[in-house]
Amino acid sequence: MRRMTARPANAHQARLLKLLRDGGPNSRAQLGDQVDLSRSKLAVEVDRLLETGLVVADGLAASRGGRRSHNIRLAPELRFLGVDIGATSIDVAVTNAELEILGHITQPMEVREGPVAVFEQVLAMAAKLKASGLAEGFDGAGIGVPGPVRFPEGVPVAPPIMPGWDGFPVREALSQELGCPVMVDNDVNLMAMGEQHAGVARSVADFLCVKIGTGIGCGIVVGGGVHRGTTGSAGDIGHIQAVPDGRPCACGNRGCLEAHFSGAALARDALEAAQQGQSVELASRLEVNGTLTAVDVAAAAAAGDAVCLDLIREGGTRTGQVIAGLVSFFNPGLVVIGGGVTGLGHTLLAAIRTQVYRQSLPLATGNLPIVLGELGPTAGVIGAARLISDHLFSPA
Amino acid sequence: MRRMTARPANAHQARLLKLLRDGGPNSRAQLGDQVDLSRSKLAVEVDRLLETGLVVADGLAASRGGRRSHNIRLAPELRFLGVDIGATSIDVAVTNAELEILGHITQPMEVREGPVAVFEQVLAMAAKLKASGLAEGFDGAGIGVPGPVRFPEGVPVAPPIMPGWDGFPVREALSQELGCPVMVDNDVNLMAMGEQHAGVARSVADFLCVKIGTGIGCGIVVGGGVHRGTTGSAGDIGHIQAVPDGRPCACGNRGCLEAHFSGAALARDALEAAQQGQSVELASRLEVNGTLTAVDVAAAAAAGDAVCLDLIREGGTRTGQVIAGLVSFFNPGLVVIGGGVTGLGHTLLAAIRTQVYRQSLPLATGNLPIVLGELGPTAGVIGAARLISDHLFSPA
DNA sequence: GGTCCTTTGTCCTGTGAGTGGAAAAAGTCG
DNA sequence: CGACTTTTTCCACTCACAGGACAAAGGACC
């Protein structure tokens, strides 16, 4: 079918589209309660939106005591593609215009293999979703990559863990292939946007979203918007020094947080513990799989393995130290912990909490929730869909 | 004389007032170049502003090749009061509507003596400035205090170094006494606003302003606006851990940056060095004055005293460590160093720079200037004037 | 089913913001 | 002094928007 190409003509229409996206189908009257426009003006703008095809009528709403109103909703055929490229996996999902996930595929893939191979994979996954009948085409796509991005152009800049991606025109290329608008951002920022849209961070203006995966990053939301920094590298907390003169890090320094705690570091620690015979649980897992990952540590910890619990606790403490500093500095209203190692769950969370509450001033921590992300692996793709929808639902 | 009470009636007028404040007298035509309004509309709004008395005609502008235009400027009788309450001193200044300092007084005063005593002093200083003929009254006042502030209400909250100030209605009380609108903020935020308005940070959207005085704080500017955090304590970096298991700090933790480097810590270190006979220079100064402060350290360092240079260098390194973390996290476009110990000058700056450039990733530091503040002790009062002018030059 | 009230949706007119052209006013330059 | 610029004022026209009037549609109660 023909894809939608219309964009809102003014700020009012943009506002209405976002309300319908975030609040689902709504009657004109309910919309009127939220936008502070006269009924006449509202009717005009809604009619225009109906003309563009971006929104459609959707039956009658329940009565609120008088005449029943006709519901309005975003066109149900609209489709967004959300892509979350992690260090070792790719997530691709299709959503409708309300950013509900209609289909979601995950595949392991090393981002190190370079943009060409990854792109091929992403396109194959998108094609698969299309083939399964979920979409006949995409009205827009958002994509997250595990490194800094020059946001306006949608191009990765000097990404440490993505050799070959520096300067690769991700936005341009994907837009070309998919035939729709594309926006690119750091994966951590997308996770933050995902949790903001549909997760724990709804209605919080200033919060931090710490993602602990292969590396560690932090999404920063200020006044409801993502802060990307001057060069797009804001939130790159993996290389903050957590241990003076600590372990050497790939970045050339010593004691970086990421060198002491992250998916990669955890796997290395686990391997060492297994080889030195400190943990029976880990050793047997090593024997079976031939390798160890953070998942093994999580499983062993869940089974009560003391070494693994210690590893997690120590990592949580290190992470908590860094977060404590950030909390003092930024004074957020919420801290969300997410990413691959959320499987470590409450042991990790408890360690982080303890450290933050101990080390930051009471005024900053007094009413500061520190919680796990609610959306798990879907946070990134929802955030990606949100990114492109924010773009498309803004006046051209 | 009668004070101005008018406020801009709409966003256009607000815009024009701010242009006149930041750019000085301007012709209608020049204003037109900047605001993207039709000539007619502009003329209407300017006329209305002239009617309110907020702006006045100011002679003819130089010709740009044709008819000479009439200049417009903010009413020259407008006066703002800028108050900067530090831990150990008070600065009060009068500015005109263009935020140029017309008079400036500094007096030593311990903020510990409580709000009543400090207020008395501030009012006396304001009266002195009035008496010297610089102002017949004030159209607005901005005031900075050395601790967290609940910004909307203008009330200090749980300020560690300001016993007796917790919950004191600073805004209310000062407004009462001066008979004009008042806004209250953290002194560090005001310093940042000052440097943004008239100092090194002009035209930088995202920057950090680190103030090293009796304590250490950091003003955070995001997208041109000050970030105050959820509880008003954003930028409180003095209690970030700089040295694991380091010196005990008044806050109850160990190793806080402030415990290792700040005006207070420096004085303590100097005293110790003098008493242990490590520095002849310091010992003789101690003998003369009976006490040592950061100023003595600065002087001794300038005279080449090795112990003092070491103290400064070590402090700079510690500070640099913390700033490096913040730079990685926030990715600012500029870092400004200011506050009382700027007397330590380039020794300090060099140490901070070295550490930041060494410890942060190249992408974040690549084009990152780290500079000393340009305004010195006037940054705070200019920022205070800017705070209230921003308030008054916004639609009611 | 009838009456009264509430809510929703449409129509219409008045108002005020804002645009853009024309012309007057005030200069510069040769 | 005349040709050309720039600034400023004036005016007619457009458009966005508010808000009232009214019709349509439904619920509650009798």
Side-chain angles (χ1 to χ4, degrees):
Chain A
M1 70 161 290
R2 196 172 52 76
R3 287 286 104 202
M4 306 289 163
T5 56
R7 291 279 289 275
N10 58 43
H12 297 310
Q13 293 185 15
R15 182 84 200 285
L16 291 171
L17 290 173
K18 287 177 186 170
L19 280 174
L20 290 171
R21 177 192 63 186
D22 301 341
N26 246 309
S27 70
R28 284 166 152 86
Q30 281 174 305
L31 288 175
D33 293 344
Q34 299 173 70
V35 293
D36 193 42
L37 279 177
S38 66
R39 278 176 307 172
S40 18
K41 177 61 179 166
L42 180 73
V44 170
E45 296 298 353
V46 169
D47 285 345
R48 286 188 194 152
L49 284 174
L50 286 168
E51 272 173 40
T52 66
L54 280 172
V55 308
V56 297
D58 185 43
L60 290 170
S63 168
R64 293 200 290 179
R67 171 177 174 175
R68 295 175 64 190
S69 65
H70 293 260
N71 260 349
I72 302 295
R73 62 172 299 178
L74 289 167
E77 323 86 70
L78 286 173
R79 291 292 179 272
F80 294 135
L81 187 72
V83 181
D84 186 2
I85 299 180
T88 60
S89 67
I90 298 177
D91 280 77
V92 178
V94 187
T95 77
N96 58 14
E98 280 140 17
L99 311 191
E100 291 163 342
I101 293 187
L102 306 178
H104 183 179
I105 316 180
T106 306
Q107 288 222 331
M109 171 111 204
E110 297 290 325
V111 71
R112 278 188 264 112
E113 297 190 20
V116 178
V118 169
F119 254 63
E120 212 168 289
Q121 181 72 270
V122 166
L123 291 173
M125 293 166 82
K128 193 165 155 197
L129 286 167
K130 258 202 229 179
S132 65
L134 295 172
E136 304 184 21
F138 301 107
D139 300 282
I143 175 166
V145 296
V149 169
R150 207 178 317 131
F151 187 70
E153 296 92 353
V155 173
V157 278
I161 66 165
M162 302 165 66
W165 286 77
D166 190 11
F168 186 84
V170 174
R171 178 180 186 174
E172 181 64 27
L174 197 62
S175 177
Q176 199 75 203
E177 291 286 346
L178 293 173
C180 66
V182 172
M183 293 288 280
V184 186
D185 203 345
N186 185 307
D187 62 340
V188 186
N189 292 340
L190 294 189
M191 176 179 160
M193 292 180 76
E195 292 289 347
Q196 183 186 29
H197 178 82
V200 283
R202 271 173 301 232
S203 80
V204 182
D206 300 326
F207 69 93
L208 299 181
C209 189
V210 178
K211 181 175 183 179
I212 310 173
T214 305
I216 293 192
C218 176
I220 308 169
V221 174
V222 184
V226 172
H227 171 73
R228 298 189 172 86
T230 301
T231 57
S233 76
D236 204 340
I237 63 171
H239 300 280
I240 291 182
Q241 194 179 62
V243 182
D245 293 318
R247 296 185 186 168
C249 175
C251 75
N253 279 313
R254 293 182 148 269
C256 295
L257 175 59
E258 221 171 273
H260 286 266
F261 185 64
S262 64
L266 206 53
R268 215 172 43 237
D269 288 343
L271 190 63
E272 197 174 314
Q275 288 169 341
Q276 296 193 355
Q278 293 169 344
S279 160
V280 182
E281 185 79 30
L282 283 177
S284 77
R285 287 181 163 268
L286 177 59
E287 193 134 349
V288 175
N289 302 331
T291 174
L292 286 174
T293 72
V295 177
D296 296 300
V297 180
D305 182 273
V307 171
C308 289
L309 284 172
D310 271 355
L311 282 179
I312 295 170
R313 271 196 287 262
E314 187 177 329
T317 303
R318 300 265 184 241
T319 311
Q321 271 168 20
V322 171
I323 294 179
L326 303 183
V327 165
S328 295
F329 171 71
F330 183 71
N331 189 18
L334 171 70
V335 174
V336 181
I337 310 288
V341 299
T342 0
L344 307 176
H346 285 275
T347 310
L348 175 66
L349 189 62
I352 292 177
R353 277 184 178 152
T354 304
Q355 197 60 27
V356 173
Y357 291 141
R358 178 185 302 162
Q359 232 178 74
S360 288
L361 292 183
L363 183 57
T365 55
N367 198 15
L368 175 68
I370 303 178
V371 299
L372 291 177
E374 205 172 87
L375 305 176
T378 63
V381 289
I382 292 177
R386 161 109 185 186
L387 176 70
I388 188 64
S389 76
D390 265 348
H391 176 72
L392 293 177
F393 291 169
S394 296
Chain B
M1 71 161 291
R2 199 172 51 74
R3 288 286 102 202
M4 306 290 163
T5 55
R7 292 279 290 273
N10 58 43
H12 297 311
Q13 293 185 14
R15 181 85 199 284
L16 291 171
L17 290 174
K18 287 178 185 171
L19 280 174
L20 290 172
R21 177 193 64 186
D22 301 341
N26 246 309
S27 70
R28 285 166 152 86
Q30 281 174 307
L31 288 175
D33 294 344
Q34 299 173 72
V35 293
D36 194 42
L37 279 178
S38 65
R39 295 179 308 275
S40 10
K41 179 61 181 163
L42 180 73
V44 170
E45 297 297 355
V46 169
D47 285 346
R48 286 188 192 153
L49 284 175
L50 285 168
E51 272 173 40
T52 66
L54 280 172
V55 309
V56 297
D58 184 43
L60 291 169
S63 168
R64 290 202 289 180
R67 172 177 172 175
R68 296 175 64 190
S69 63
H70 291 259
N71 261 349
I72 301 295
R73 62 172 299 180
L74 289 167
E77 323 86 69
L78 286 173
R79 291 292 178 273
F80 294 134
L81 187 72
V83 180
D84 187 1
I85 299 181
T88 59
S89 66
I90 299 177
D91 280 76
V92 178
V94 187
T95 77
N96 59 13
E98 279 140 17
L99 310 192
E100 291 162 344
I101 292 188
L102 306 178
H104 184 180
I105 316 182
T106 307
Q107 288 222 331
M109 171 110 203
E110 297 290 325
V111 71
R112 280 189 262 112
E113 297 189 20
V116 177
V118 169
F119 254 63
E120 214 168 288
Q121 182 72 270
V122 167
L123 291 174
M125 293 166 82
K128 193 166 155 196
L129 286 168
K130 257 203 229 177
S132 65
L134 295 171
E136 303 183 23
F138 301 108
D139 300 281
I143 175 165
V145 296
V149 170
R150 209 179 314 130
F151 187 69
E153 297 92 355
V155 174
V157 278
I161 67 165
M162 301 165 66
W165 286 78
D166 190 11
F168 185 84
V170 174
R171 179 179 185 175
E172 182 64 26
L174 197 62
S175 177
Q176 199 75 202
E177 291 287 345
L178 292 174
C180 66
V182 172
M183 295 287 281
V184 186
D185 204 346
N186 185 307
D187 62 339
V188 186
N189 291 341
L190 293 189
M191 175 178 160
M193 291 179 78
E195 292 289 348
Q196 183 185 30
H197 178 82
V200 284
R202 270 172 302 230
S203 79
V204 182
D206 300 328
F207 69 93
L208 299 181
C209 189
V210 178
K211 181 174 183 179
I212 310 173
T214 303
I216 294 191
C218 177
I220 308 169
V221 175
V222 184
V226 172
H227 170 72
R228 298 190 171 85
T230 301
T231 56
S233 76
D236 203 341
I237 63 171
H239 300 279
I240 291 181
Q241 193 180 63
V243 182
D245 292 317
R247 297 185 187 168
C249 176
C251 74
N253 279 313
R254 296 183 147 268
C256 295
L257 176 58
E258 222 169 272
H260 286 266
F261 185 62
S262 64
L266 206 52
R268 214 172 44 237
D269 289 343
L271 189 65
E272 197 174 317
Q275 287 168 341
Q276 297 194 354
Q278 292 169 347
S279 161
V280 182
E281 185 79 29
L282 283 177
S284 76
R285 287 182 163 266
L286 177 58
E287 194 133 351
V288 175
N289 301 329
T291 174
L292 287 175
T293 71
V295 176
D296 295 300
V297 180
D305 182 90
V307 171
C308 289
L309 284 172
D310 271 356
L311 282 179
I312 295 170
R313 270 195 287 262
E314 187 176 330
T317 304
R318 301 267 185 240
T319 311
Q321 271 168 20
V322 170
I323 294 180
L326 304 183
V327 165
S328 295
F329 171 71
F330 183 73
N331 189 19
L334 170 70
V335 174
V336 182
I337 310 287
V341 300
T342 0
L344 307 176
H346 285 275
T347 311
L348 174 67
L349 189 61
I352 292 177
R353 275 184 179 152
T354 305
Q355 196 60 26
V356 173
Y357 290 140
R358 178 187 301 162
Q359 232 179 74
S360 289
L361 292 182
L363 183 56
T365 56
N367 200 14
L368 173 68
I370 303 178
V371 299
L372 292 177
E374 207 171 86
L375 304 176
T378 64
V381 289
I382 292 177
R386 160 109 185 184
L387 176 69
I388 188 64
S389 77
D390 265 349
H391 177 70
L392 294 178
F393 292 169
S394 297

